Amino acid sequence: QVQLVESGGGLVQPGGSLRLSCAVSGIAFSRHTMFWYRQAPGNQRELVAAITTGGTTDYLDSVKGRFSISRDNAKNSVYLQMNTLKPEDTAVYYCVAAFLLQQYWGQGTQVTVSS
């Protein structure tokens, strides 16, 4: 079966860093565009970062220069390096794989930025 399993979330102080990982199985990973979404309580889900099969990346304006998405096709994994974290980054972060009209979502990992 298809599985996307996020890890690496947790509690961090403002200005700190976290690295999220997403391990993907059950699909042809290298054919999929990968995304990180996030959702905070009371807010809409928003696209944080994307990386195409060719390695092109895109970011939410508020995280540009702080976050970096990457992928390792040999490991069927996608990562989100988050630096200089702010309280407004607090959310559940979701890993998403997409190919044509098909999407797969992980269960999410909680990131809390608080002093």
Side-chain angles (χ1 to χ4, degrees):
Q1 67 270 31
V2 178
Q3 282 195 304
L4 285 74
V5 181
E6 300 98 333
S7 62
L11 175 64
V12 65
Q13 293 185 327
S17 297
L18 285 173
R19 186 179 188 243
L20 305 184
S21 298
C22 175
V24 181
S25 60
I27 61 169
F29 177 81
S30 63
R31 296 184 188 271
H32 286 71
T33 299
M34 300 300 301
F35 305 86
W36 288 97
Y37 282 79
R38 69 185 182 189
Q39 187 167 29
N43 290 58
Q44 297 246 266
R45 189 168 291 175
E46 61 185 351
L47 177 61
V48 177
I51 184 165
T52 69
T53 57
T56 301
T57 59
D58 200 11
Y59 299 92
L60 182 67
D61 282 348
S62 62
V63 309
K64 285 180 180 176
R66 300 189 297 119
F67 289 13
S68 180
I69 188 171
S70 61
R71 67 191 294 160
D72 187 337
N73 287 347
K75 295 182 178 180
N76 284 184
S77 294
V78 64
Y79 309 95
L80 186 67
Q81 179 66 48
M82 305 185 294
N83 299 322
T84 320
L85 283 160
K86 303 175 179 180
E88 51 262 46
D89 296 318
T90 296
V92 177
Y93 284 71
Y94 297 90
C95 176
V96 182
F99 176 67
L100 300 176
L101 298 178
Q102 198 155 307
Q103 293 184 149
Y104 302 97
W105 286 70
Q107 292 299 303
T109 185
Q110 177 70 48
V111 171
T112 303
V113 184
S114 177
S115 58

mmCIF file of all heavy atoms in Angstrom, residues 77-99:
data_model
loop_
_atom_site.group_PDB
_atom_site.id
_atom_site.type_symbol
_atom_site.label_atom_id
_atom_site.label_comp_id
_atom_site.label_asym_id
_atom_site.label_seq_id
_atom_site.Cartn_x
_atom_site.Cartn_y
_atom_site.Cartn_z
ATOM 1 N N SER A 77 12.659 9.624 -0.446
ATOM 2 C CA SER A 77 12.417 10.530 0.670
ATOM 3 C C SER A 77 12.471 11.982 0.236
ATOM 4 O O SER A 77 13.198 12.342 -0.698
ATOM 5 C CB SER A 77 13.442 10.308 1.778
ATOM 6 O OG SER A 77 13.300 9.026 2.362
ATOM 7 N N VAL A 78 11.705 12.789 0.929
ATOM 8 C CA VAL A 78 11.722 14.232 0.742
ATOM 9 C C VAL A 78 11.928 14.872 2.105
ATOM 10 O O VAL A 78 11.501 14.323 3.130
ATOM 11 C CB VAL A 78 10.433 14.738 0.048
ATOM 12 C CG1 VAL A 78 9.201 14.478 0.915
ATOM 13 C CG2 VAL A 78 10.552 16.213 -0.319
ATOM 14 N N TYR A 79 12.591 16.032 2.118
ATOM 15 C CA TYR A 79 12.974 16.678 3.359
ATOM 16 C C TYR A 79 12.580 18.144 3.337
ATOM 17 O O TYR A 79 12.463 18.765 2.279
ATOM 18 C CB TYR A 79 14.487 16.585 3.565
ATOM 19 C CG TYR A 79 15.016 15.181 3.419
ATOM 20 C CD1 TYR A 79 15.521 14.741 2.200
ATOM 21 C CD2 TYR A 79 14.995 14.300 4.485
ATOM 22 C CE1 TYR A 79 15.997 13.451 2.057
ATOM 23 C CE2 TYR A 79 15.464 13.010 4.349
ATOM 24 C CZ TYR A 79 15.967 12.585 3.138
ATOM 25 O OH TYR A 79 16.436 11.304 3.000
ATOM 26 N N LEU A 80 12.401 18.690 4.514
ATOM 27 C CA LEU A 80 12.200 20.123 4.660
ATOM 28 C C LEU A 80 13.086 20.617 5.787
ATOM 29 O O LEU A 80 12.823 20.330 6.959
ATOM 30 C CB LEU A 80 10.732 20.463 4.945
ATOM 31 C CG LEU A 80 10.398 21.951 4.975
ATOM 32 C CD1 LEU A 80 10.544 22.569 3.584
ATOM 33 C CD2 LEU A 80 8.993 22.188 5.513
ATOM 34 N N GLN A 81 14.137 21.324 5.426
ATOM 35 C CA GLN A 81 15.012 21.952 6.407
ATOM 36 C C GLN A 81 14.429 23.308 6.773
ATOM 37 O O GLN A 81 14.224 24.152 5.904
ATOM 38 C CB GLN A 81 16.421 22.123 5.848
ATOM 39 C CG GLN A 81 17.403 22.794 6.801
ATOM 40 C CD GLN A 81 17.700 21.956 8.011
ATOM 41 O OE1 GLN A 81 17.979 20.769 7.892
ATOM 42 N NE2 GLN A 81 17.642 22.558 9.193
ATOM 43 N N MET A 82 14.155 23.508 8.042
ATOM 44 C CA MET A 82 13.524 24.728 8.524
ATOM 45 C C MET A 82 14.469 25.419 9.488
ATOM 46 O O MET A 82 14.796 24.874 10.544
ATOM 47 C CB MET A 82 12.196 24.417 9.212
ATOM 48 C CG MET A 82 11.225 23.639 8.341
ATOM 49 S SD MET A 82 9.609 23.411 9.135
ATOM 50 C CE MET A 82 10.094 22.354 10.495
ATOM 51 N N ASN A 83 14.901 26.612 9.119
ATOM 52 C CA ASN A 83 15.809 27.401 9.941
ATOM 53 C C ASN A 83 15.142 28.693 10.382
ATOM 54 O O ASN A 83 14.156 29.130 9.797
ATOM 55 C CB ASN A 83 17.087 27.728 9.168
ATOM 56 C CG ASN A 83 17.856 26.505 8.744
ATOM 57 O OD1 ASN A 83 17.933 25.525 9.479
ATOM 58 N ND2 ASN A 83 18.458 26.561 7.558
ATOM 59 N N THR A 84 15.716 29.313 11.392
ATOM 60 C CA THR A 84 15.219 30.583 11.913
ATOM 61 C C THR A 84 13.710 30.519 12.115
ATOM 62 O O THR A 84 12.958 31.378 11.652
ATOM 63 C CB THR A 84 15.611 31.745 10.975
ATOM 64 O OG1 THR A 84 16.942 31.567 10.494
ATOM 65 C CG2 THR A 84 15.555 33.087 11.721
ATOM 66 N N LEU A 85 13.288 29.503 12.814
ATOM 67 C CA LEU A 85 11.858 29.271 12.998
ATOM 68 C C LEU A 85 11.211 30.370 13.822
ATOM 69 O O LEU A 85 11.818 30.930 14.737
ATOM 70 C CB LEU A 85 11.628 27.913 13.639
ATOM 71 C CG LEU A 85 11.773 26.739 12.666
ATOM 72 C CD1 LEU A 85 12.026 25.445 13.410
ATOM 73 C CD2 LEU A 85 10.527 26.629 11.790
ATOM 74 N N LYS A 86 9.969 30.662 13.470
ATOM 75 C CA LYS A 86 9.172 31.690 14.118
ATOM 76 C C LYS A 86 7.909 31.066 14.700
ATOM 77 O O LYS A 86 7.452 30.033 14.219
ATOM 78 C CB LYS A 86 8.774 32.769 13.101
ATOM 79 C CG LYS A 86 9.944 33.424 12.391
ATOM 80 C CD LYS A 86 9.458 34.381 11.316
ATOM 81 C CE LYS A 86 10.618 35.053 10.625
ATOM 82 N NZ LYS A 86 10.145 35.994 9.569
ATOM 83 N N PRO A 87 7.321 31.694 15.717
ATOM 84 C CA PRO A 87 6.073 31.151 16.269
ATOM 85 C C PRO A 87 4.989 30.937 15.214
ATOM 86 O O PRO A 87 4.219 29.979 15.329
ATOM 87 C CB PRO A 87 5.658 32.217 17.293
ATOM 88 C CG PRO A 87 6.953 32.796 17.750
ATOM 89 C CD PRO A 87 7.818 32.833 16.518
ATOM 90 N N GLU A 88 4.934 31.788 14.205
ATOM 91 C CA GLU A 88 3.933 31.636 13.164
ATOM 92 C C GLU A 88 4.165 30.435 12.251
ATOM 93 O O GLU A 88 3.311 30.112 11.422
ATOM 94 C CB GLU A 88 3.801 32.920 12.325
ATOM 95 C CG GLU A 88 5.118 33.453 11.800
ATOM 96 C CD GLU A 88 5.694 34.571 12.656
ATOM 97 O OE1 GLU A 88 5.711 34.428 13.899
ATOM 98 O OE2 GLU A 88 6.134 35.591 12.086
ATOM 99 N N ASP A 89 5.301 29.769 12.394
ATOM 100 C CA ASP A 89 5.544 28.516 11.681
ATOM 101 C C ASP A 89 4.883 27.327 12.363
ATOM 102 O O ASP A 89 4.889 26.222 11.815
ATOM 103 C CB ASP A 89 7.043 28.246 11.554
ATOM 104 C CG ASP A 89 7.762 29.282 10.708
ATOM 105 O OD1 ASP A 89 7.216 29.684 9.660
ATOM 106 O OD2 ASP A 89 8.883 29.678 11.085
ATOM 107 N N THR A 90 4.351 27.535 13.548
ATOM 108 C CA THR A 90 3.694 26.456 14.278
ATOM 109 C C THR A 90 2.509 25.922 13.487
ATOM 110 O O THR A 90 1.621 26.674 13.090
ATOM 111 C CB THR A 90 3.228 26.946 15.654
ATOM 112 O OG1 THR A 90 4.366 27.305 16.439
ATOM 113 C CG2 THR A 90 2.435 25.871 16.379
ATOM 114 N N ALA A 91 2.504 24.616 13.250
ATOM 115 C CA ALA A 91 1.460 23.985 12.449
ATOM 116 C C ALA A 91 1.719 22.490 12.390
ATOM 117 O O ALA A 91 2.785 22.014 12.793
ATOM 118 C CB ALA A 91 1.447 24.551 11.025
ATOM 119 N N VAL A 92 0.743 21.771 11.872
ATOM 120 C CA VAL A 92 0.976 20.398 11.458
ATOM 121 C C VAL A 92 1.466 20.439 10.020
ATOM 122 O O VAL A 92 0.837 21.065 9.160
ATOM 123 C CB VAL A 92 -0.292 19.535 11.569
ATOM 124 C CG1 VAL A 92 -0.028 18.123 11.056
ATOM 125 C CG2 VAL A 92 -0.771 19.492 13.014
ATOM 126 N N TYR A 93 2.580 19.789 9.768
ATOM 127 C CA TYR A 93 3.189 19.766 8.448
ATOM 128 C C TYR A 93 2.914 18.432 7.772
ATOM 129 O O TYR A 93 3.113 17.372 8.360
ATOM 130 C CB TYR A 93 4.698 20.007 8.548
ATOM 131 C CG TYR A 93 5.049 21.451 8.798
ATOM 132 C CD1 TYR A 93 4.795 22.041 10.036
ATOM 133 C CD2 TYR A 93 5.609 22.239 7.791
ATOM 134 C CE1 TYR A 93 5.081 23.378 10.266
ATOM 135 C CE2 TYR A 93 5.905 23.571 8.021
ATOM 136 C CZ TYR A 93 5.643 24.135 9.256
ATOM 137 O OH TYR A 93 5.942 25.455 9.479
ATOM 138 N N TYR A 94 2.455 18.507 6.522
ATOM 139 C CA TYR A 94 2.068 17.332 5.760
ATOM 140 C C TYR A 94 2.933 17.163 4.521
ATOM 141 O O TYR A 94 3.177 18.122 3.792
ATOM 142 C CB TYR A 94 0.613 17.440 5.295
ATOM 143 C CG TYR A 94 -0.393 17.506 6.411
ATOM 144 C CD1 TYR A 94 -0.784 18.723 6.948
ATOM 145 C CD2 TYR A 94 -0.965 16.343 6.919
ATOM 146 C CE1 TYR A 94 -1.717 18.789 7.973
ATOM 147 C CE2 TYR A 94 -1.894 16.402 7.941
ATOM 148 C CZ TYR A 94 -2.270 17.628 8.461
ATOM 149 O OH TYR A 94 -3.194 17.687 9.469
ATOM 150 N N CYS A 95 3.329 15.948 4.272
ATOM 151 C CA CYS A 95 4.036 15.562 3.064
ATOM 152 C C CYS A 95 3.021 15.081 2.031
ATOM 153 O O CYS A 95 2.107 14.321 2.364
ATOM 154 C CB CYS A 95 5.024 14.449 3.409
ATOM 155 S SG CYS A 95 5.940 13.747 2.037
ATOM 156 N N VAL A 96 3.170 15.524 0.785
ATOM 157 C CA VAL A 96 2.234 15.171 -0.282
ATOM 158 C C VAL A 96 3.006 14.768 -1.529
ATOM 159 O O VAL A 96 3.954 15.443 -1.923
ATOM 160 C CB VAL A 96 1.298 16.347 -0.623
ATOM 161 C CG1 VAL A 96 0.308 15.941 -1.708
ATOM 162 C CG2 VAL A 96 0.565 16.833 0.615
ATOM 163 N N ALA A 97 2.585 13.682 -2.151
ATOM 164 C CA ALA A 97 3.126 13.237 -3.436
ATOM 165 C C ALA A 97 2.050 13.364 -4.497
ATOM 166 O O ALA A 97 0.899 12.990 -4.262
ATOM 167 C CB ALA A 97 3.601 11.790 -3.345
ATOM 168 N N ALA A 98 2.412 13.886 -5.670
ATOM 169 C CA ALA A 98 1.435 14.088 -6.731
ATOM 170 C C ALA A 98 1.996 13.689 -8.083
ATOM 171 O O ALA A 98 3.142 13.996 -8.404
ATOM 172 C CB ALA A 98 0.987 15.550 -6.772
ATOM 173 N N PHE A 99 1.165 13.007 -8.860
ATOM 174 C CA PHE A 99 1.484 12.638 -10.234
ATOM 175 C C PHE A 99 0.197 12.717 -11.037
ATOM 176 O O PHE A 99 -0.765 12.013 -10.737
ATOM 177 C CB PHE A 99 2.076 11.230 -10.301
ATOM 178 C CG PHE A 99 2.327 10.749 -11.700
ATOM 179 C CD1 PHE A 99 3.289 11.353 -12.492
ATOM 180 C CD2 PHE A 99 1.615 9.691 -12.231
ATOM 181 C CE1 PHE A 99 3.531 10.919 -13.787
ATOM 182 C CE2 PHE A 99 1.844 9.247 -13.519
ATOM 183 C CZ PHE A 99 2.809 9.866 -14.297
#
